[in-house]
Every structure is written in structure tokens, then in C-alpha cells.
Amino acid sequence: MTDAVGSIDMPDAEDDTQEKKPRKGGKRGKKGPLGRLGLFYRQIIAELRKVVWPTRHQLTTYTTVVIVFVVIMIGLVTVIDYGFQEAVKYVFG
């Protein structure tokens, strides 16, 4: 099968002439372990600056919604568990 560039079985002549140079690691290759650790923490701080933090009102609203939802789910699971418990007691005596 041949296309405009070459065939699948035989690569282009240009590909054979290019030598692949080993990568040196970019920024990480030039620094020691402490330099890489410093770069890591600087990147963490840079990403945290991009975060849109909620206001105090939004935070209390979200927290209240989560707590109410968890309490409702606890009640639902408790009722279902009690129902299964009574059903097992009835069936197995």
C-alpha cells in the first residue's frame, strides 16, 4: 500500500537521515534534587493562585447542603437496614 509520502513497509528516505538526539530532561535535567523539589513547590503555589476560592457565604452554604444531605442519607440507610433486620428476623425466626 503506497501513499503520497511512502509505503508502510519502507519508510521515507528523509526519516533515515535524521538522527535522534537524546533528551536532556528540560528544566528538570539541569537541576539537582533540591532544585527539582523547589520547582515542584513553586508550580504548586502557581496553580493554587489560579484557583477561584469560594466566599465565606458560599462556603457555609455548601457545607450546610452537604451536612443536610449526609444526615438524610444516614436516615435512609438506617431505615432500610432496620427493615432488612426485621425481615431477616421474621424469615429465620
Side-chain angles (χ1 to χ4, degrees):
M1 177 176 205
T2 304
D3 57 8
V5 180
S7 69
I8 294 174
D9 299 329
M10 183 181 283
D12 296 336
E14 296 173 10
D15 293 340
D16 293 337
T17 59
Q18 295 177 352
E19 295 179 15
K20 294 194 176 194
K21 298 178 183 176
R23 295 184 66 188
K24 297 195 178 187
K27 290 181 181 179
R28 290 183 288 179
K30 299 176 185 174
K31 298 181 180 178
L34 292 178
R36 289 187 299 213
L37 189 63
L39 175 65
F40 177 70
Y41 283 117
R42 282 194 303 276
Q43 289 174 345
I44 288 174
I45 291 170
E47 288 298 321
L48 285 175
R49 287 186 179 146
K50 296 177 188 177
V51 173
V52 179
W53 297 100
T55 63
R56 183 176 295 271
H57 182 262
Q58 289 173 333
L59 188 63
T60 56
T61 302
Y62 297 158
T63 304
T64 304
V65 167
V66 167
I67 290 173
V68 167
F69 177 75
V70 168
V71 167
I72 290 172
M73 292 307 296
I74 288 172
L76 181 66
V77 169
T78 302
V79 168
I80 292 172
D81 184 50
Y82 181 74
F84 282 135
Q85 177 184 353
E86 293 300 318
V88 168
K89 280 183 183 176
Y90 178 76
V91 172
F92 295 110

